[in-house]
Amino acid sequence: MFGDCFEFLYSLNQKFMPLNDSNKKFGQVWSCNEWDPLEEIIVGTVENAVVPVWSPAVASTTPTHAKWFFEKHGGQPFPDEMIEKASIELNGLVKVLEDLDITVHRPKPLDFNTEYKTPWWESKGLYSAMPRDVLLVIGDTIIEASMAWRTRYFEVFAYRDMIEEYFREGARWLPAPKSTMADDFYNPNYDPATPEIDGVRQFVISEKEVSFDAADFTRCGKDIFVQKSNVTNAMGIEWVRRHIGSEYKVHEVEFGDQHPMHIDTTIVPLAPGKLMINPSWVERSQLPSMFDSWEIIEAPEPVNPFDSALYFSSDWLTMNFLSVDEKRIIVEENEAPLIDLLKKKGFEPIPIPFRNFYPFGGSIHCATTDVRRNGGLESYF
Ligand code: ABU
């Protein structure tokens, strides 16, 4: 009965909200921070999503309680019901954005269940649910991240049609070098149980080749903050630094997340002079001193998911929200303490249901990449 009802809602959703609406015009690429008024955005899709098989790269950031999920489903499509529920929420996000007059584009999902082969290994794909991981927009440039998981090697092709459209509209287009992701790209001694040795953070990837996910970067105009993680290495950071132009400064930061992968549940710029931090990972003293004049807002504890499991992420998806402008922030509707805090601080949260997307590894920020925000390139420090 429950399943039938979802099937019906899902088919309605698919009927009225087709992906890849080719009639929608692609505009200019321009986004310099996380808070200028949003005009155009990419929203991911869980269509065709495949569960990765357990591997050292997956194990490096996956909560140990979730291992059973990968053992049971690894190498197979995500269960239909998960896809259906998350798709409804993604389509709801699209509707909210479009009602705010924001142009939304969706990727063209690949057949992620097809096995592919490189000279070094074989794999299936993952999904095109998280454009934030793959595409980094800095000013008028779209950077394709190199990525670090074999399952994500070809993921960018889900976005290629739209990147080409943006290129035609004048965007600069910068694909990062792909690493081989051969066995020796990964650190054979990495053990998630000992993520720090003699005070030095350990990572599952080595420094042998360039590697980064776009979501390890966060933008505050001319200043961009990035962390090393289990998908982003120093070479990857240096590659971005050298390619984005001398008007930008890339600052490397390190906090207390023992298994880092993506900075957007650790520090989140909200508006000029306002930064939200994850109090369980970030000490104020660890922030670069340039934040001394900023208001630092500690995120409240996450509300534990009522019926969803966090297979790919920490509990802190609470902070993984999307700013529409300096005041309005799209947040997950169950995160009541966060919503209250934002209101108290003068923001206008827009709550939407998004809990069924959480098990895919992210929330609203991960599920999107803002392509155009209306504002100039400025220094906020
Ligand atoms: N992809 C965002 C997840 C980060 C986290 O696990 O907190």
Side-chain angles (χ1 to χ4, degrees):
M1 175 65 188
F2 191 58
D4 289 352
C5 182
F6 260 113
E7 232 161 77
F8 176 66
L9 281 174
Y10 181 61
S11 64
L12 275 185
N13 253 275
Q14 295 311 298
K15 197 163 166 189
F16 295 120
M17 301 205 63
L19 300 174
N20 310 316
D21 181 349
S22 54
N23 295 322
K24 279 192 204 154
K25 219 179 133 16
F26 289 82
Q28 297 231 304
V29 169
W30 182 257
S31 183
C32 300
N33 58 44
E34 302 287 333
W35 60 74
D36 275 340
L38 185 58
E39 294 183 345
E40 188 159 332
I41 195 160
I42 300 167
V43 174
T45 168
V46 289
E47 294 290 297
N48 298 353
V50 170
V51 180
V53 290
W54 193 251
S55 68
V58 172
S60 69
T61 55
T62 302
T64 41
H65 67 75
K67 192 172 175 192
W68 72 268
F69 179 77
F70 296 88
E71 284 172 349
K72 179 163 179 206
H73 297 287
Q76 299 164 49
F78 273 77
D80 285 346
E81 195 179 331
M82 286 178 69
I83 303 259
E84 288 162 15
K85 289 178 170 180
S87 294
I88 289 170
E89 291 182 346
L90 282 163
N91 291 346
L93 169 62
V94 171
K95 169 100 174 59
V96 167
L97 290 163
E98 289 183 338
D99 286 349
L100 292 166
D101 276 336
I102 296 161
T103 303
V104 179
H105 297 287
R106 311 291 303 273
K108 192 185 281 178
L110 309 175
D111 178 1
F112 296 107
N113 203 27
T114 296
E115 193 118 22
Y116 50 79
K117 196 171 176 177
T118 75
W120 305 280
W121 43 263
E122 291 175 26
S123 179
K124 287 184 176 181
L126 179 63
Y127 50 40
S128 47
M130 312 284 177
R132 186 72 57 182
D133 301 353
V134 185
L135 303 175
L136 176 60
V137 175
I138 296 184
D140 63 355
T141 303
I142 300 188
I143 300 176
E144 294 179 4
S146 48
M147 314 303 289
W149 285 15
R150 291 172 178 173
T151 53
R152 310 195 78 175
Y153 199 81
F154 293 110
E155 194 170 307
V156 73
F157 287 97
Y159 305 92
R160 269 292 172 85
D161 285 0
M162 65 176 83
I163 296 171
E164 283 157 6
E165 292 294 338
Y166 286 124
F167 181 68
R168 289 188 187 100
E169 292 300 316
R172 297 199 309 142
W173 174 14
L174 207 50
K178 287 209 135 335
S179 71
T180 58
M181 300 187 196
D183 287 350
D184 60 358
F185 166 65
Y186 300 97
N187 173 359
N189 301 316
Y190 179 78
D191 176 358
T194 50
E196 203 167 296
I197 299 177
D198 297 332
V200 179
R201 180 70 42 79
Q202 306 294 305
F203 301 107
V204 75
I205 57 169
S206 72
E207 284 293 341
K208 188 175 167 283
E209 298 172 83
V210 164
S211 180
F212 65 95
D213 274 15
D216 273 319
F217 293 78
T218 189
R219 304 152 307 154
C220 295
K222 292 183 177 176
D223 293 282
I224 293 167
F225 299 89
V226 59
Q227 64 175 2
K228 274 202 290 221
S229 76
N230 285 294
V231 289
T232 297
N233 60 17
M235 261 178 102
I237 295 171
E238 185 55 25
W239 184 90
V240 172
R241 186 180 278 127
R242 281 192 210 167
H243 283 78
I244 58 174
S246 54
E247 65 269 48
Y248 295 96
K249 275 210 178 89
V250 177
H251 308 266
E252 191 182 316
V253 287
E254 185 178 326
F255 302 114
D257 179 2
Q258 300 275 287
H259 301 99
M261 176 177 174
H262 306 158
I263 202 167
D264 51 359
T265 53
T266 302
I267 55 168
V268 177
L270 301 172
K274 289 179 190 192
L275 180 76
M276 183 165 278
I277 61 167
N278 176 331
S280 66
W281 294 340
V282 181
E283 304 272 344
R284 285 173 189 236
S285 59
Q286 292 173 311
L287 289 169
S289 59
M290 56 203 292
F291 283 105
D292 285 355
S293 61
W294 279 44
E295 183 185 3
I296 306 301
I297 301 171
E298 292 190 3
E301 285 289 316
V303 174
N304 281 327
F306 52 90
D307 66 353
S308 67
L310 297 166
Y311 300 133
F312 286 90
S313 73
S314 73
D315 292 355
W316 285 93
L317 296 182
T318 315
M319 292 174 63
N320 196 255
F321 44 67
L322 176 75
S323 293
V324 172
D325 55 34
E326 282 185 31
K327 288 272 175 220
R328 293 177 296 173
I329 303 180
I330 306 180
V331 296
E332 209 290 321
E333 67 179 8
N334 293 283
E335 303 287 358
L338 173 79
I339 292 171
D340 290 346
L341 176 67
L342 288 172
K343 282 185 186 161
K344 216 168 91 196
K345 294 285 180 187
F347 294 95
E348 295 162 21
I350 303 173
I352 63 165
F354 220 64
R355 271 293 154 96
N356 293 297
F357 187 79
Y358 280 19
F360 291 85
S363 185
I364 303 156
H365 195 257
C366 291
T368 56
T369 286
D370 43 295
V371 174
R372 194 172 60 262
R373 291 183 182 268
N374 186 354
L377 175 61
E378 290 181 33
S379 173
Y380 301 97
F381 296 95

